[in-house]
Amino acid sequence: TELSHIRNFSIVAHIDHGKSTLADRLIQSTNTVAARDMKAQLLDAMDIERERGITIKANTVRIEYKADDGETYILNLIDTPGHVDFAYEVSRSMRAVEGSLLVVDSTQGVEAQTLANVYQAIDANHEIVPVLNKIDLPAADCARVAEQIEDVIGIDASNALQVSAKSGIGIHETLEAIVTRLPAPKGDVTKPLTAMLVDSWYDAYLGVVVLVRIMDGLLKKGDRVKMMQNGSIHVVDRIGVFRPAMQDVKELGPGEIGFITAQIKQVRDTRVGDTITHEKKGVDKALPGFKPSQPVVFCGLFPVDAAEFEDLRDAIEKLALNDASFSYEMETSAALGFGFRCGFLGLLHLEVIRDRLEREYDIDLITTAPSVIYHVYMRDGSMTELHNPADMPDLTLVDHIEEPRIKATILVPDEYLGDVLKLCQDRRGIQMDLTYAGTRAMVVYDLPLNEVVFDFYDRLKSVTKGYASFDYHLMGYREDALVKMSILVNDEPVDALSMMVHRDRAEMRGRGMVEKLKELIPRHMFKIPIQAAIGGKVIARETLSAMRKDVTAKCYGGDATRKRKLLDKQKAGKKKMRQFGKVDIPQEAFINALKMD
Ligand code: GDP
Ligand code: MG
């Protein structure tokens, strides 16, 4: 295809502003998919994505559009992930296209992820077409939202499109705007092959499928290609485009976006952002800016039933096939037995993986406290990365500890600002900026990541009744007074509950934990001390009193054994317990004890 007849674009939006609906509408109105095959949210494949309304893996579709000028254009839409955890993948896929539709819900206005995503589009030098969506709703206020786009983002919104993706208003205008307002890609077919690896995923039938954007040169079936990151050589056995079903083509040229398969076994060999060239007569300089995405949040995953360990291993290996940013290694815990220490791009990523393990693979899991990576500087001058509080070295050997900090941007209606400031302050935040856009405040905080990984989103949502939006990125490491807090149940340390905390907050967290555990652990026939300790020093303590035998005897009455068996059975079905020494701790205790109020 002629470069002048190609347009490559992505859609950027805050969650729920209508990105998927608009994509569906563009696909449908160009007859890319037969009406009978059209199902809502075609691009969101996985169940969890559908349920949570988020798009995790970038997807793509090639649309043919006959424009008002009588010419037929190829429009390639890349659907980027919509969540902060995947910011790096978003930034890479943005570099594969020349323009973006900026979708803003005209009843809501600009939100935190609108900002984060549009800044990435601006960074990638995109031409940006603002789209005010949901104009069918009575609450739509296009003038106000256009003004907000200009004020807050600083781009011209005077010719923003007015669209209802749901009812189909403004779709023709959107297609015309893509053709007339977005630039055609550049590239040179006579130059050696340079292709950007935009995304990759594992397919049970095809092996690894690689999404590529050709910058220069020509890529054909049978070509021997090289991944420039690791130098591995592969033979292209299939080449094609997504419409959105796979359709084979002979070749892909400059400006085009399509897929290849090449007998690649693991997505790990296909890093997003890598450059693909020919083995012979290839380029020797890769595209700039490649860096592999790194896990930042770690936690232990253990089967509730130790017999399910092998099942868990299989499931984790399968998931990792399709997700290069998810890392894992085997871990043994004195309390929980065999499991895995897993690394994630962020909290949402953690939740998605945990959900999939439980749902798709039907494994009950115990998740230990999420932890970030601490930099522990030793007295001898060396530094170790601490991924697991259980591995904390002897304190007498430690000089100081640094923790990761984030820059968080929160947009919130005025009336909730006070509560948001308090929440950030409580989490050791340092305010960096506070500005207003109409009746909404935008506040920027410097926060320790470890205060955010647990339940910050949940708390933020609840104090603002769901009206706040949130986005963050890592800033770097800073020293602080951090200590490891251990939890002892019946005088035995439960390593899965140990965590790193700030010294000034240790006593409060410790007291909160032991009080919660007292509620969460059922009574036993003996009394159980529950303690929080730093080093050898107990900082909080509760005692769970013993069950009184006479009371239990009475309440069972009559045919005690039968009733009891029945009760025990019901209990086993409802409550998954783990035994620690002589004490049974229910599964929920691990997660609930860590929640802060
Ligand atoms: P995404 O998270 O940005 O992909 O948003 P979705 O496309 O999933 O849309 C979120 C919700 O808004 C869904 O319930 C859609 O049906 C609804 N929606 C999307 N576009 C419109 C629109 O133009 N008008 C109305 N009334 N609802 C819309
Ligand atoms: Mg969506």
Side-chain angles (χ1 to χ4, degrees), residues 274-286:
D274 198 359
T275 304
I276 302 172
T277 191
H278 282 129
E279 180 189 18
K280 298 210 173 89
K281 294 191 184 150
V283 290
D284 38 42
K285 236 182 110 208

Side-chain angles (χ1 to χ4, degrees), residues 160-464:
L161 301 168
Q162 302 197 0
V163 169
S164 167
K166 194 170 177 180
S167 46
I169 304 166
I171 298 302
H172 177 75
E173 290 76 3
T174 305
L175 288 162
E176 283 298 312
I178 292 167
V179 169
T180 58
R181 287 162 65 178
L182 301 185
K186 294 193 177 75
D188 186 344
V189 72
T190 64
K191 282 190 180 166
L193 177 69
T194 307
M196 185 202 283
L197 200 162
V198 182
D199 196 6
S200 68
W201 56 92
Y202 184 80
D203 180 288
Y205 299 103
L206 304 170
V208 175
V209 179
V210 178
L211 183 68
V212 293
R213 154 71 200 264
I214 313 293
M215 313 310 271
D216 290 313
L218 207 55
L219 182 57
K220 294 203 217 46
K221 185 172 166 168
D223 284 356
R224 290 176 68 86
V225 294
K226 179 165 81 174
M227 305 284 174
M228 293 190 71
Q229 267 311 304
N230 62 8
S232 63
I233 306 290
H234 308 271
V235 179
V236 175
D237 53 23
R238 227 183 129 178
I239 182 164
V241 294
F242 292 102
R243 303 191 39 82
M246 287 174 148
Q247 180 185 316
D248 290 47
V249 298
K250 286 210 191 74
E251 57 186 35
L252 289 172
E256 292 196 284
I257 294 172
F259 71 86
I260 57 171
T261 64
Q263 307 279 339
I264 303 167
K265 298 283 181 299
Q266 300 192 58
V267 283
R268 250 154 249 281
D269 298 332
T270 55
R271 289 306 186 115
V272 171
D274 198 359
T275 304
I276 302 172
T277 191
H278 282 129
E279 180 189 18
K280 298 210 173 89
K281 294 191 184 150
V283 290
D284 38 42
K285 236 182 110 208
L287 294 161
F290 172 82
K291 64 173 171 49
S293 45
Q294 296 290 352
V296 293
V297 176
F298 289 79
C299 77
L301 296 178
F302 294 84
V304 170
D305 178 354
E308 284 192 323
F309 174 75
E310 287 302 327
D311 296 341
L312 177 61
R313 182 209 296 276
D314 282 351
I316 281 182
E317 281 173 358
K318 284 209 187 88
L319 283 183
L321 272 180
N322 209 357
D323 187 345
S325 38
F326 161 57
S327 71
Y328 65 97
E329 58 185 39
M330 219 181 104
E331 176 181 16
T332 21
S333 150
L336 299 172
F338 292 112
F340 294 91
R341 189 84 193 155
C342 302
F344 307 90
L345 295 178
L347 258 197
L348 178 96
H349 190 207
L350 185 162
E351 273 181 48
V352 166
I353 299 260
R354 191 186 56 207
D355 261 33
R356 293 189 62 186
L357 288 169
E358 295 204 328
R359 267 202 261 191
E360 291 171 31
Y361 298 91
D362 198 23
I363 299 170
D364 288 313
L365 292 170
I366 292 174
T367 314
T368 66
S371 170
V372 299
I373 303 174
Y374 295 93
H375 288 173
V376 180
Y377 289 85
M378 312 299 285
R379 288 200 196 282
D380 67 9
S382 64
M383 188 273 275
T384 36
E385 284 193 355
L386 182 71
H387 294 199
N388 185 348
D391 302 332
M392 181 70 192
D394 183 2
L395 274 183
T396 57
L397 302 174
V398 173
D399 185 68
H400 68 280
I401 303 175
E402 291 183 355
E403 65 176 342
R405 308 277 306 196
I406 59 165
K407 181 177 167 185
T409 303
I410 300 167
L411 269 84
V412 65
D414 233 0
E415 62 259 46
Y416 303 111
L417 180 63
D419 295 312
V420 170
L421 297 182
K422 179 167 183 313
L423 174 66
C424 292
Q425 225 64 46
D426 286 350
R427 300 293 172 98
R428 297 194 282 130
I430 300 166
Q431 192 178 310
M432 295 170 74
D433 197 15
L434 174 59
T435 48
Y436 281 88
T439 57
R440 290 170 70 78
M442 181 167 99
V443 54
V444 180
Y445 260 91
D446 167 348
L447 279 158
L449 181 62
N450 97 334
E451 300 283 346
V452 173
V453 291
F454 206 76
D455 59 351
F456 187 83
Y457 292 135
D458 294 347
R459 298 293 306 154
L460 184 68
K461 263 189 252 151
S462 84
V463 301
T464 63

Side-chain angles (χ1 to χ4, degrees), residues 525 547 552-553 556 559-571:
M525 303 306 275
M547 223 174 343
T552 50
Y556 287 117
D559 191 356
T561 46
R562 241 188 73 201
K563 253 190 195 159
R564 167 155 230 156
K565 263 189 197 150
L566 204 74
L567 280 170
D568 282 350
K569 237 186 178 167
Q570 285 173 348
K571 216 164 79 185

Side-chain angles (χ1 to χ4, degrees), residues 14-21 41 53 133-134 136-137 164-166:
H14 187 74
I15 195 151
D16 280 346
H17 282 201
K19 182 169 90 166
S20 303
T21 310
Q41 310 232 326
N133 190 31
K134 307 199 187 181
D136 58 296
L137 295 174
S164 167
K166 194 170 177 180

